[in-house]
Every structure is written in C-alpha cells, then in structure tokens.
C-alpha cells in the first residue's frame, strides 16, 4: 500500500516517521482505490496548513461494493455467539492499546487537537469496544408464561448493515462509539468519516480485520454529502447513525425516512452551565474551562452559555480570564501544548466572525478571540486562535443563541434559580447542561428541570462509556454508550408457542 509522507519538515517534533497510508477507502478487508473517476480532495494538517494527503470520494459503484461486503460479513457475524464476537472485539481493543501513540499522533496531525487529548480519545474508543464486548454475550430475550402451558418469548436480533457517519472533532472515538455497539449486537457497518478528517477511521478498519473480524464487517467509504446520501438511500442499509450539525441531521432523517430506517442522531448544542454563589469556585472555574476549551472548543456538548450568579461574578471573571490567558497554544504534538489548531481555515474564519459579531452586538471581549501565529515559523500557516471569554453578554446575542463550535465562552449573570432555569431552557437544543453548587438538593432540583439529555453536577464534559450520551429536543434522537444503546442497534422479535389445540372461532 503506498504511503504519502507528511508535508512538514522532518525535524518537526514527533512528526518524523509519521506517514499517512493511502488509499483511505476500505472494504472487504482491504484498502481500496475508488472505481470511479472522482476528483481527489485535499486533506490538510491544521497545525501547519499544509496538504497532508488526498482523499478519493466514493460514488455509487464504491458504495455498492462496500455495502455488499458488509452484507456478506453480516451473514457470518450475526450467526456467531456473543462470546465469539466478544473475543474478536477484545482483541481489537488490545491492538488499539498497543498502537495508542501511533493512532493518537495521526489524530493530532489530521485534526489539530493536542496530543494529550488525542490519547484520551483513543482510550475512550478502546474502552467503548471493551465495554460492548462485555455486553455481547448478555443479549437475551424474555420468557412469558401463558395459559394452558403455552408461552411466548422474545429474541433480540441484529438489524443488518448499519451506516455510521462521523464528525471531524472526534474522528477515531466516534468511529469506535458507533461500531462497538453495532458489532456487539451482530450487525456489520459501513462508516463514512468527515472528509476533513478521513485518516484514523481506516486504521480502525484495519485493526478490526487484524483482530479476526470477517472481511467486510467494518468498512470505510470516504466522501461528502453525495456519498452520505448514497448510503442513506441504499436499500440494503438497515440503520443510520449520524454525528454532526442539526441541519445535516434533519437531512439524514428525511433520507432515512424514505426507507423507514431507524436513525440515531447526535447533533449540536448550545448548552448552559449554571454556577451558583455557594459553589466551590475553584472547581467551577476548572469546570467552565473544561466546558469550553477542550478540542479548541469544537465539542457539541460544550457549556458555552456560562451563567454566573451575580454576587460571585467579579471574582469568577477575574479567575477565568487569568486561566484562559495562561492556556498554552501551539504545536499540538508537543506535550506542553494545551490548545492546538482549529480544524480548517474556513472554520477558523467562521469562529472569528462570531467574535466580531459579538462585539458589534455589545459583548465585551475580556480576553482572546484573535488569530494566533505561533513563534515556530513552521506553524505559521496553521489555523490557530486565542481562546476567548466574552463578558456583558445577553440572551438575545448571536454568540449566546447560536452554536459557535470554537473556543469562545459567553458569560451571563443571573440572580435567582427560577430566573436562570427559564433562561437556560430557552433554546431549541438540549444536548447537555451543568450545575455547580454545594447544595445537594438544589443540584438535583435544577437538573430535574433542565431540558437536556446529558447533565453534569459539579463537573463537565465527562463521558464514561458505561453511561448513555445524547440530547433532548433538536440535539438528537437515540443514545450512544451505556446499556440502552443495545436497543438502538437491535430489534425485538416476539415468538408465540401454542402447546395445546387451536381455539378457532370458525
């Protein structure tokens, strides 16, 4: 398989020896070149702005081959016992663990986030696969005793070929989060990564194959909207799971409805973080930083509307600005870096335009919000900005109402619990929410009334694979992780068994 060297100087720390293997499409157990004459697309390294490799988008012929491979693998995989499937999934997890640094470095090079975060993302993917491997052998139905010795039972059966469509902010983790429950239930999968970050999902496909999965069990097709549309409309696809924006999620749902296919949608958010005056201020500051600046702020669940009770606002602002200004920005492959590059030049410009709009609407920039050029000349073409804290925000400002998806925190003050709850819920989205308080009764009272699917008390953006993750309202349908996700990748069959004679009315 040919490799393209990274288009960066070999002396750059840790980049030496890193190669992107092409082609980036994968089905029936091998990397594949597109069968169609599609124009290749550039894939960039956010840290430097240079071309990393090229992507071949998949057309109808390629998608058909990938789905056909998945359908073939499903026939074998679905008949295996849960224990047999679990053994292969555990082996895949072991391979991921042994290749942790390699995968993390490639994630950094393709996505721009810090190596520290990328390692944790790889760990999350591995843990998810381990978790669902543990559940694979527990899938069971129910026995119901009926009159006269008759009975009924239920069977939990796989759906078939599932489609996963990933986002660019957590490429490897999302591929793992979608594939693990699907495979545990006996399904196969065709996965389409974001065309911005196509590299690491193919590494996962190779890992599953090396672990002993049937050829075609996990396939990767590259491309943009057209490829996604082909997958959603394909007659042999049984389910679609999508992570991304609300507008795209609506389109996915509409396309899947043509075939009455179930969907899982993990969409955007504009989540509130409520900080009460009786909180542990140090932990509240830490929580607000975690709620806004992980992955350069490019996280769907971020608590970007930070409501601070009026009495502690000055103290909170002083501390949050000081900590934000201290965040080290630079080469994401360096251990000391805490904020890397945003994912693309267009996205960087979009985030900066939100800051400009906030200023025009009366918000005050307390720190950051500007393009950043690292001192290392090799990084001058990268997509960096300084993390931003906006003060004097009001509920009607664009920065408070719309998802920015960048390192921009909006601060708002409040006086009463009733008031802040009404304001926190005043959004069409409901992915996440957080509350910081020492009052245990208030904490539970508040989260009960917040309309959001993933709530945090005295912490934020913690996503253990054992618990479900997902949103209310326009933030999505279905869940990822936790035991409940088994229900979204399987279907229930009821079987009635008559032990006597048929009691006919005719």
């Amino acid at each position: 398989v040919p490799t393209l060297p990274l288009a960066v100087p070999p002396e750059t720390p840790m980049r030496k020896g890193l190669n992107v293997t092409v082609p980036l499409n994968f089905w029936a157990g091998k990397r594949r070149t597109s069968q169609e004459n599609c124009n290749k697309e550039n894939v960039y390294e956010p840290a430097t702005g240079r071309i990393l490799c090229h992507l071949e988008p998949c057309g109808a012929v390629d998608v058909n081959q990938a789905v056909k491979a998945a359908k073939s693998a499903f026939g074998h995989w679905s008949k295996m016992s849960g224990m047999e499937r679990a053994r292969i999934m555990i082996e895949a997890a072991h391979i991921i663990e042994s290749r942790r640094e390699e995968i993390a470095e490639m994630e950094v090079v393709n996505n721009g986030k810090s190596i520290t975060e990328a390692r944790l993302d790889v760990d999350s993917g591995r843990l998810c696969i381990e978790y669902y491997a543990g559940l694979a052998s527990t899938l069971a139905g129910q026995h119901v005793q009926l009159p006269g010795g008759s009975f009924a039972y239920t069977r939990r059966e796989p759906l078939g070929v599932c489609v996963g469509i990933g986002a660019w902010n957590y490429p490897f983790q999302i591929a793992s989060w979608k594939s693990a429950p699907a495979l545990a239930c006996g399904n196969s999968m065709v996965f389409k990564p974001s065309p911005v970050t196509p590299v690491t999902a193919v590494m996962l496909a190779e890992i599953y194959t090396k672990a002993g999965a049937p050829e075609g069990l996990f396939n990767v097709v590259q491309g943009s909207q057209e490829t996604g549309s082909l997958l959603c409309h394909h007659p042999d696809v049984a389910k679609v799971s999508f992570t991304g924006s609300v507008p795209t999620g609506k389109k996915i749902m509409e396309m899947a409805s043509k075939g009455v296919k179930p969907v899982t949608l993990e969409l955007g958010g504009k989540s509130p973080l409520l900080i009460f005056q009786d909180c542990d201020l140090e932990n509240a500051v830490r929580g607000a930083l975690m709620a806004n600046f992980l992955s350069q702020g490019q996280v769907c669940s971020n608590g970007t509307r930070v409501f601070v009770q009026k009495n502690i606002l000055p103290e909170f602002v002083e501390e949050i600005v000081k900590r934000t200004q201290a965040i080290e920005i630079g080469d994401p492959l360096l251990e000391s870096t805490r904020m890397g590059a945003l994912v693309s030049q267009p996205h960087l410009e979009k985030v900066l335009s939100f800051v400009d709009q906030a200023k025009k609407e009366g918000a005050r920039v307390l720190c950051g919000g500007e393009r950043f050029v690292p001192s290392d000349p090799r990084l001058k073409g990268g997509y960096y900005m300084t993390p931003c804290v906006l003060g004097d925000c009001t509920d009607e400002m664009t920065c408070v109402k719309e998802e920015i998806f960048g390192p921009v925190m909006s601060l708002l003050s409040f006086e009463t619990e009733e008031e802040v709850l009404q304001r926190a819920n005043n959004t069409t989205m409901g992915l996440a929410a957080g509350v910081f308080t020492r009052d245990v009764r208030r904490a539970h009272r508040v989260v009960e009334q917040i309309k959001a699917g993933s709530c945090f008390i005295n912490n934020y953006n913690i996503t253990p694979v054992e618990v479900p993750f997902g949103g209310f309202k326009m933030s999505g349908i279905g869940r990822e992780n936790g035991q409940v996700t088994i229900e979204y990748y399987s279907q229930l069959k009821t079987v009635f068994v008559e032990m006597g004679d048929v009691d006919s009315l005719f």
Side-chain angles (χ1 to χ4, degrees):
V1 178
T3 62
L4 288 178
L6 296 181
V8 292
E11 65 272 24
T12 302
M14 291 173 64
R15 286 194 176 86
K16 189 173 183 179
L18 276 177
N19 294 294
V20 175
T21 305
V22 293
L24 297 172
N25 297 306
F26 187 103
W27 58 80
K30 295 179 183 177
R31 289 182 183 251
R32 306 281 178 172
T33 302
S34 173
Q35 304 296 301
E36 304 177 45
N37 294 321
C38 300
N39 293 327
K40 291 185 179 181
E41 299 176 9
N42 293 336
V43 179
Y44 295 91
E45 181 190 21
T48 63
R50 305 187 187 200
I51 294 173
L52 181 61
C53 60
H54 296 94
L55 171 152
E56 289 183 315
C58 288
V61 173
D62 301 320
V63 168
N64 279 334
Q65 289 186 354
V67 173
K68 183 180 178 181
K71 189 176 180 181
S72 175
F74 171 74
H76 174 61
W77 183 253
S78 61
K79 289 179 173 60
M80 293 169 65
S81 71
M83 285 292 283
E84 290 172 317
R85 294 197 293 264
R87 195 173 298 120
I88 290 170
M89 293 177 69
I90 288 292
E91 179 59 25
H94 289 162
I95 297 170
I96 292 170
E97 190 169 25
S98 69
R99 296 178 61 185
R100 179 191 193 224
E101 199 66 16
E102 174 196 354
I103 300 166
E105 288 175 0
M106 199 57 71
E107 193 85 318
V108 170
V109 169
N110 194 193
N111 168 273
K113 67 175 64 185
S114 74
I115 185 67
T116 304
E117 286 193 43
R119 290 186 187 116
L120 297 175
D121 294 353
V122 175
D123 290 345
S124 176
R126 171 182 58 80
L127 288 168
C128 187
I129 293 169
E130 289 180 356
Y131 175 76
Y132 283 106
L135 287 183
S137 62
T138 69
L139 303 186
Q142 181 184 23
H143 176 274
V144 180
Q145 192 64 46
L146 298 171
S150 297
F151 62 94
Y153 64 93
T154 58
R155 291 169 49 90
R156 188 156 289 283
E157 298 184 353
L159 298 167
V161 178
C162 297
V163 161
I165 301 177
W168 48 253
N169 56 341
Y170 288 89
F172 188 84
Q173 178 179 297
I174 290 173
S176 303
W177 279 20
K178 292 191 185 303
S179 61
L183 302 191
C185 290
N187 304 288
S188 58
M189 176 165 275
V190 179
F191 186 81
K192 189 193 83 65
S194 163
V196 180
T197 52
V199 175
T200 52
V202 200
M203 299 173 75
L204 179 62
E206 290 179 320
I207 287 168
Y208 277 132
T209 301
K210 187 176 180 182
E215 290 185 356
L217 185 68
F218 182 78
N219 311 274
V220 177
V221 293
Q222 305 288 353
S224 300
Q225 185 175 341
E226 182 185 345
T227 309
S229 177
L230 289 167
L231 288 167
C232 291
H233 285 118
H234 200 287
D236 289 333
V237 166
K239 178 207 167 67
V240 180
S241 176
F242 169 75
T243 298
S245 70
V246 174
T248 307
K250 289 179 178 180
K251 292 176 184 174
I252 297 279
M253 195 173 183
E254 183 180 356
M255 288 187 286
S257 73
K258 306 295 186 205
V260 198
K261 298 171 186 177
V263 293
T264 294
L265 302 175
E266 199 276 276
L267 308 179
K270 193 65 186 177
S271 301
L273 177 58
L274 281 50
I275 298 176
F276 288 91
Q277 62 189 18
D278 67 345
C279 70
D280 179 318
L281 192 68
E282 169 63 19
N283 276 325
V285 169
R286 290 182 184 182
L289 293 170
M290 290 291 286
N292 281 271
F293 299 136
L294 283 176
S295 294
Q296 297 74 252
Q298 300 165 143
V299 183
C300 51
S301 58
N302 271 359
T304 52
R305 293 185 293 144
V306 181
F307 294 90
V308 185
Q309 203 154 20
K310 196 171 182 179
N311 291 353
I312 60 167
L313 182 60
E315 186 181 1
F316 181 87
V317 167
E318 181 183 356
E319 195 61 29
I320 204 77
V321 168
K322 183 175 73 175
R323 300 281 187 92
T324 302
Q325 290 174 323
I327 293 173
E328 185 159 343
I329 313 165
D331 188 342
L333 282 170
L334 294 178
E335 297 288 344
S336 58
T337 297
R338 284 297 170 266
M339 183 169 288
L342 275 71
V343 78
S344 70
Q345 182 67 34
H347 187 65
L348 170 63
E349 291 170 359
K350 180 182 176 184
V351 173
L352 291 171
S353 73
F354 271 107
V355 178
D356 290 339
Q357 181 69 20
K359 288 190 282 188
K360 290 175 185 174
E361 294 179 11
R364 188 160 54 96
V365 176
L366 303 178
C367 67
E370 299 175 331
R371 195 178 299 268
F372 179 81
V373 180
S375 57
D376 187 339
R378 296 169 294 189
L379 306 176
K380 65 180 181 180
Y383 318 131
Y384 301 91
M385 70 173 283
T386 51
C388 179
V389 178
L390 297 173
D392 297 341
C393 296
T394 63
D395 293 356
E396 296 309 311
M397 290 180 177
T398 304
C399 63
V400 176
K401 294 171 72 175
E402 295 185 20
E403 186 175 32
I404 297 174
F405 222 64
V408 181
M409 178 192 300
S410 298
L411 294 179
L412 306 105
S413 69
F414 73 93
E415 294 190 9
T416 69
E417 180 181 318
E418 294 73 23
E419 168 211 343
V420 76
L421 274 168
Q422 187 276 324
R423 294 167 65 192
N425 285 328
N426 186 24
T427 171
T428 58
M429 292 178 275
L431 184 52
V435 54
F436 276 84
T437 177
R438 284 191 174 98
D439 185 335
V440 66
R441 290 178 299 176
R442 167 185 279 155
H444 292 284
R445 185 170 65 237
V446 166
V447 296
E448 180 187 358
Q449 295 178 77
I450 284 182
K451 308 301 183 207
S454 301
C455 295
F456 305 90
I457 295 175
N458 293 331
N459 210 329
Y460 206 92
N461 270 340
I462 305 300
T463 52
V465 298
E466 301 95 326
V467 297
F469 176 79
F472 286 3
K473 299 191 279 188
M474 290 179 72
S475 287
I477 295 171
R479 289 295 178 268
E480 305 210 85
N481 295 340
Q483 291 186 35
V484 70
T485 299
I486 294 295
E487 297 178 18
Y488 295 102
Y489 282 97
S490 60
Q491 53 195 345
L492 207 60
K493 176 181 286 180
T494 301
V495 181
F496 176 86
V497 182
E498 177 58 64
M499 299 298 286
D501 296 325
V502 175
D503 187 9
S504 175
L505 293 176
F506 305 101

